[in-house]
Amino acid sequence: MIDELQSGLIAHLIQFIKDSPTAYHGAQTIAKALNAQGAIQLDERQPWQLKSGQIYYVIRAEGSLIAFRCGLKRPAEAGFMVAGAHTDSPGLKARLEKSLTGKGMERAAVELYGSPIISTWLDRPLALAGRVFIKNQDGKAESRLIHSTEPIGVVPNLAIHLNRDLNKGFEYNAQNHLPVLLSASGSAAPEAGKIALDSGAAEALAADLLHRVTAQLGVPADAILGSDLYFVDAQGPVRFGPLGELINAYRLDNLLGCHAILEAFLAAQSAGHTQVACFFNHEEIGSLSPEGADSAFLRDILGRISALLDKNAEDLYRALAASFSISVDVAQAYHGSYPEKFDESFAPVLNGGPALKVNANLRYATDGEAEARFRLYCDAAGVPCQKFMSRADITPGTTIGPLSAAFTGIKTVDVGAPLLSMHSIRETAGTLDHEMMVQVLKKGFEQLNN
């Protein structure tokens, strides 16, 4: 049977996923966990005062968060131990102001965020989550997070009878094929002999997405100033397998990485070096934003820590040179139905342990030195280590690793828990891999130089 420690960890993971339907909710959930451990939130606009052993965190643009525990030594002497993941996932972003009405049906327009496997989003009950900016009583913009939790819509597929070649492959058009069906009130002019909905019921069913959001927030439509809303899977995580060794859920890419870093960071003991946990938004669309990994966010935070704890401007560069970073994203797990897509020597399996991610063209940041250091962390934690390399004739995806490494100059390794169905609305991973990832990250946070 799965041991009690592992069961507790996965229960925490499941709740973490439920509480994190979007990047904004994810950052809020992480902040709550940090607050429960006595962490102090810092404002980038205000002066900071730091002390050894204390946990601090900074939120930027609501979807990205960097936490750090000040080391017992100055950064210039001991460096930074950094671990990073991303809070966003591919999906369907709602175009709130646009309502599509016809034949008594109300639909919500969407656009693609990142690169989801589109077919998996069809015929599934969808909820709505994200943030809305409203004009408050003081006439200022105020952000509100919302999550409908209950299903509010579906993207219906076309019947096989109307497209006999559907199973041979079909290219879905986001403008035409992916609007979300919200309601159906019947024809505006029902035929004789048919029972029509009364006007009140018809009006309620025909309420468009904007009206649903304002009703949930309890504000008039003209109070809405802006929004970042996404349709999300309405079904929660499911754990299965004879030993509960598998988990199927939305946004495992990359809530698995976020949760593993958070758990390891909070469990780690204070050390001479400063420990840093990064959770970046916008990885799925390239990370090029003020709060993404391809921004100055991490370097800004490390620079301010050094400015306050070190002696002079040169010390930041000394600290960066003495640091190490682990980029934690999911890895492509071996898929038994598609063996031809894998190099059998570098195909990590579910529950076989964390996987190093390596690519000759640095789609991943790992080089030989970084690989060696991570393997030593695995040895120290008593955890097996796998390795993912794509076939030589396939170009893999990429991660935040090369971006943050280039911006900071910190030696970086890319690793991840093996995952099936990456970028599907629901993905599958091994629960044992998650436990092992937490253990090795905890060792990394505590040891830095092994």
Side-chain angles (χ1 to χ4, degrees):
M1 295 295 292
I2 301 294
D3 62 44
E4 183 177 348
L5 174 64
Q6 206 262 349
S7 294
L9 176 67
I10 302 307
H12 292 162
L13 170 64
I14 288 172
Q15 189 61 52
F16 182 80
I17 294 170
K18 289 180 178 179
D19 293 340
S20 307
T22 70
Y24 311 111
H25 292 82
Q28 182 185 70
T29 302
I30 293 167
K32 288 180 179 178
L34 292 167
N35 290 337
Q37 297 297 316
I40 298 172
Q41 183 174 1
L42 300 173
D43 187 332
E44 290 189 83
R45 298 166 296 182
Q46 301 297 325
W48 297 356
Q49 292 183 340
L50 306 178
K51 64 178 182 179
S52 297
Q54 175 64 47
I55 298 175
Y56 303 90
Y57 68 94
V58 178
I59 298 177
R60 185 178 282 190
E62 296 189 275
S64 294
L65 183 151
I66 295 179
F68 60 94
R69 182 187 285 111
C70 292
L72 304 179
K73 299 180 180 179
R74 295 190 298 111
E77 298 175 356
F80 300 102
M81 179 63 208
V82 183
H86 66 87
T87 57
D88 63 324
S89 300
L92 305 181
K93 186 174 184 180
R95 291 186 164 183
L96 182 60
E97 298 83 3
K98 183 174 182 178
S99 178
L100 303 174
T101 305
K103 296 292 186 180
M105 294 184 291
E106 286 287 337
R107 298 183 300 155
V110 301
E111 60 181 317
L112 295 178
Y113 178 89
S115 303
I117 301 177
I118 296 174
S119 61
T120 64
W121 286 79
L122 277 66
D123 303 317
R124 292 196 65 88
L126 300 176
L128 186 72
R131 64 176 180 174
V132 179
F133 289 89
I134 65 169
K135 183 188 292 184
N136 63 21
Q137 294 180 344
D138 298 326
K140 298 181 179 180
E142 177 183 326
S143 177
R144 300 268 191 92
L145 295 188
I146 67 168
H147 183 199
S148 67
T149 64
E150 295 297 324
I152 69 166
V154 67
V155 182
N157 219 326
L158 184 66
I160 191 72
H161 314 82
L162 302 179
N163 183 1
R164 293 290 184 180
D165 294 328
L166 183 63
N167 289 329
K168 296 180 181 179
F170 182 79
E171 184 176 357
Y172 292 95
N173 181 284
Q175 181 80 8
N176 300 329
H177 302 141
L178 300 186
V180 178
L181 177 64
L182 302 174
S183 67
S185 58
S187 174
E191 298 175 11
K194 289 188 176 180
I195 300 174
L197 294 170
D198 63 58
S199 59
E203 182 179 356
L205 284 174
D208 62 21
L209 192 62
L210 178 61
H211 292 148
R212 290 169 183 255
V213 170
T214 56
Q216 183 170 342
L217 293 174
V219 299
D222 60 7
I224 303 293
L225 299 174
S227 68
D228 295 292
L229 293 170
Y230 301 83
F231 286 100
V232 298
D233 190 4
Q235 180 184 1
V238 175
R239 188 175 183 182
F240 66 104
L243 300 177
E245 75 276 15
L246 296 169
I247 182 170
N248 176 267
Y250 55 81
R251 286 180 29 83
L252 290 181
D253 178 9
N254 188 27
L255 290 181
L256 280 176
C258 291
H259 187 258
I261 290 173
L262 176 65
E263 289 285 327
F265 177 79
L266 292 177
Q269 298 295 313
S270 296
H273 54 272
T274 294
Q275 301 154 334
V276 185
C278 306
F279 309 91
F280 293 112
N281 197 2
H282 297 151
E283 188 271 350
E284 297 293 354
I285 55 173
S287 297
L288 188 59
S289 68
E291 64 270 28
D294 194 11
S295 76
F297 188 22
L298 175 57
R299 191 172 178 116
D300 285 348
I301 300 303
L302 301 183
R304 289 188 71 163
I305 296 171
S306 177
L308 291 168
L309 300 181
D310 283 325
K311 294 181 178 180
N312 55 58
E314 183 188 27
D315 283 347
L316 171 62
Y317 303 98
R318 295 175 58 207
L320 295 176
S323 300
F324 189 64
S325 178
I326 305 176
S327 168
V328 186
D329 206 340
V330 287
Q332 301 285 3
Y334 177 77
H335 196 312
S337 299
Y338 305 91
E340 72 279 2
K341 294 295 184 180
F342 297 86
D343 185 320
E344 63 181 11
S345 298
F346 304 104
V349 297
L350 297 179
N351 290 318
L356 282 153
K357 300 165 69 172
V358 183
N359 176 256
N361 296 298
L362 292 184
R363 300 285 289 176
Y364 308 125
T366 311
D367 65 5
E369 179 186 351
E371 177 178 351
R373 293 182 69 164
F374 187 76
R375 287 188 181 278
L376 289 175
Y377 293 147
C378 290
D379 288 347
V383 166
C385 182
Q386 304 187 84
K387 189 171 184 176
F388 171 73
M389 297 180 71
S390 65
R391 286 175 52 101
D393 54 0
I394 294 178
T395 300
T398 189
T399 68
I400 65 171
L403 301 174
S404 60
F407 215 98
T408 62
I410 296 175
K411 175 67 67 177
T412 300
V413 64
D414 263 300
V415 302
L419 184 77
L420 290 172
S421 306
M422 192 180 298
H423 285 207
S424 172
I425 191 172
R426 296 185 70 85
E427 301 155 323
T428 300
T431 59
L432 297 175
D433 288 326
H434 188 62
E435 178 184 23
M436 289 186 278
M437 182 65 79
V438 173
Q439 292 173 349
V440 71
L441 290 176
K442 180 176 179 291
K443 286 295 182 182
F445 272 126
E446 291 176 341
Q447 293 185 1
L448 178 55
N449 295 311
N450 46 23

